[in-house]
Amino acid sequence: MQPIIGIDFGTTNSVVARLLPDGRVEAVRFPFGGELLDVFRTVLCFTAGAGGAPRHAAGPAAIEAYLEDPLASRLIMSMKSYLAQRSFSETRILTRSFTLEALIAQFLRALLPAEPGARIVAGRPVRFAGDMPDDALAETRLRAAFAEAGWEDVDLALEPEAAGYRFAHTLGGAATVLVGDFGGGTSDFSVLRYEPGGVTALGHSGVGIAGDSFDYRIIDHVVSPRLGRNDSYRVMGKPMPIPAAWYTGFARWHRLSLMRAPRVLRDIAEVARTADHPERLHHLITLIEEEAGYALYRAVSGVKAALSRAPQAMLAFRHEDFTVEAEIVRADFESWIAPDLARLGAAIDAALAEARLPHEAIDRVFLTGGTSLVPAVRRLFADRFGVERLAGGGEFVSVAEGLALIGQARATA
């Protein structure tokens, strides 16, 4: 039987699933540090090799390499978030320039070596992340990255459909299902009709908001004010606001590496000379220069997860003499993410509108991805469809497993 592999290349995590000879599908597990991991972090870390040429590690090994020597490392995260952005074509790392496709190919080769003859089905979001995303460009780049990694002929399938395909195996009969797939950079929704003879897609929608956006809100409200956001500096004696763009970049995982550009750091240092609180901007410079962003993002992601389990949680972060110790109340967090929740709600309604179905016509709702565990997100669905219709599970592996099953269906069609 032809090997069939589903690849969920994600913004934060990536997952691979194989179809087994007996028809079962299971996630590939990655050995690291004496453990077997179901998910592979979507990161690369570059360090200087022989002659100064860049060498790299991927996934958990990349994080380990970075933590060993952050000042001598270049950490690349959230590559998927750039796919639909024409403004990003390549970046220089140490002595070499890398296109976005080349960086993703480096990661994909580490995720799973090419298998001759295997049928590869990769996921893609309904809408790629970014401001005014170019979805056609993103798909072209994604295919090119897979080709450069050794997979010339790759099938693509929508990620929410893949998640729903896995869920369909648990249904007892015909049903109309809304699938919500929440990743790191995008959230996608599909209305699917399952019949004994197959599945029909009735409507889709997507939006570039997910887990990273919620992390951004925490950083923006709790951390950035301690780094000078909303402060002033003086130009010829006149007060001027500190540039907000610095904090937008600082709070976005995939943009932080761009802030290490010497020009940006010089501009921050120049503004600090006349700032109301120069020490705050000096902390910002230190965090950027010393690559402390990963540790900060890990702390923020941890407190976000804790707020899904408890009504309040403590954000604790320290780097040298910069310290954050702040208790975050879930109600405040939900007020910060209210604009994101509104856009998610509109996307849910857009999928139903495209399907030309009222809320009452949805039999089941299947939610997957870590952000689906956020109480305020679950309420979006409970308020529309009722708690009794909600289901979840396999939050991190369901898409990859569904992609492998889609590959099987396409192979036998």
Side-chain angles (χ1 to χ4, degrees):
M1 185 180 73
Q2 180 189 29
I4 297 176
I5 300 172
I7 299 180
D8 178 16
F9 168 61
T11 302
T12 306
N13 295 306
S14 293
V15 181
V16 177
R18 293 178 185 272
L19 184 72
L20 302 177
D22 62 5
R24 292 183 300 114
V25 64
E26 68 176 17
V28 173
R29 308 186 77 186
F30 304 96
F32 184 78
E35 297 182 73
L36 290 174
L37 309 177
D38 288 332
V39 299
F40 196 80
R41 290 298 300 269
T42 311
V43 293
L44 291 170
C45 180
F46 287 87
T47 55
R55 61 184 180 187
H56 76 279
I63 295 171
E64 183 178 71
Y66 164 76
L67 292 176
E68 285 179 359
D69 193 355
L71 291 180
S73 305
R74 175 78 179 274
L75 195 66
I76 305 294
M77 302 184 294
S78 301
M79 292 172 279
K80 187 177 180 180
S81 296
Y82 287 114
L83 280 168
Q85 306 303 306
R86 288 191 176 275
S87 59
F88 184 91
S89 58
E90 65 177 27
T91 186
R92 190 163 188 84
I93 300 174
L94 299 177
T95 59
R96 285 186 54 192
S97 292
F98 291 84
T99 64
L100 178 61
E101 294 88 335
L103 288 172
I104 294 174
Q106 294 266 37
F107 174 79
L108 291 173
R109 280 193 287 267
L111 180 68
L112 184 69
E115 291 193 25
R119 185 185 190 107
I120 305 296
V121 183
R124 59 146 292 176
V126 176
R127 299 285 182 270
F128 282 86
D131 300 324
M132 301 180 65
D134 186 331
D135 288 306
L137 172 67
E139 182 169 318
T140 298
R141 280 175 156 179
L142 185 59
R143 288 185 181 278
F146 271 98
E148 190 166 338
W151 293 297
E152 294 287 345
D153 186 17
V154 172
D155 287 345
L156 294 183
L158 292 176
E159 290 160 356
E161 283 194 17
Y165 213 95
R166 189 71 179 89
F167 176 61
H169 284 231
T170 69
L171 296 173
T176 301
V177 179
L178 172 68
V179 178
D181 175 33
F182 297 88
T186 61
S187 297
D188 297 310
F189 309 99
S190 289
V191 180
L192 308 170
R193 178 64 184 176
Y194 294 100
E195 303 279 358
V199 57
T200 303
L202 304 178
H204 301 292
S205 70
V207 63
I209 289 175
D212 286 0
S213 301
F214 292 178
D215 291 347
Y216 168 85
R217 300 296 184 185
I218 294 174
I219 294 173
D220 194 48
H221 282 85
V222 180
V223 181
S224 292
R226 292 167 164 82
L227 299 173
R229 185 177 70 81
N230 297 331
D231 286 353
S232 299
Y233 72 109
R234 296 190 174 273
V235 177
M236 299 180 66
K238 180 180 178 181
M240 300 287 289
I242 303 290
W246 293 342
Y247 303 97
T248 301
F250 179 79
R252 296 286 190 188
W253 292 39
H254 62 289
R255 295 186 188 176
L256 183 59
S257 63
L258 302 179
M259 295 191 69
R260 292 186 74 190
R263 177 184 56 80
V264 176
L265 294 171
R266 284 196 302 268
D267 288 347
I268 298 174
E270 178 62 25
V271 167
R273 291 176 55 250
T274 60
D276 295 340
H277 301 282
E279 74 283 357
R280 296 176 181 175
L281 290 171
H282 289 309
H283 286 318
L284 177 62
I285 292 171
T286 298
L287 292 175
I288 295 170
E289 285 186 328
E290 299 189 4
E291 289 275 14
Y294 176 75
L296 172 62
Y297 298 143
R298 186 168 56 180
V300 167
S301 184
V303 80
K304 179 184 67 177
L307 286 170
S308 293
R309 302 185 297 268
Q312 68 242 5
M314 179 67 71
L315 174 60
F317 172 78
R318 183 184 183 105
H319 181 77
E320 296 185 0
D321 58 346
F322 177 71
T323 301
V324 178
E325 290 184 355
E327 184 175 80
I328 301 176
V329 178
R330 183 190 290 171
D332 290 336
F333 171 62
E334 291 182 351
S335 72
W336 302 338
I337 65 174
D340 305 318
L341 294 172
R343 290 183 63 191
L344 289 173
I348 296 167
D349 296 338
L352 291 171
E354 185 173 294
R356 299 184 179 182
L357 291 176
H359 294 82
E360 304 78 52
I362 300 299
D363 299 309
R364 300 291 300 279
V365 177
F366 179 69
L367 306 178
T368 189
T371 301
S372 69
L373 301 175
V374 173
V377 171
R378 294 192 74 81
R379 282 202 301 274
L380 287 176
F381 296 90
D383 291 346
R384 286 168 168 77
F385 306 102
V387 175
E388 69 281 357
R389 284 189 263 179
L390 305 189
E395 279 77 18
F396 298 103
V397 301
S398 61
V399 172
E401 292 178 350
L403 290 168
L405 290 171
I406 287 174
Q408 180 187 37
R410 290 179 179 179
T412 57

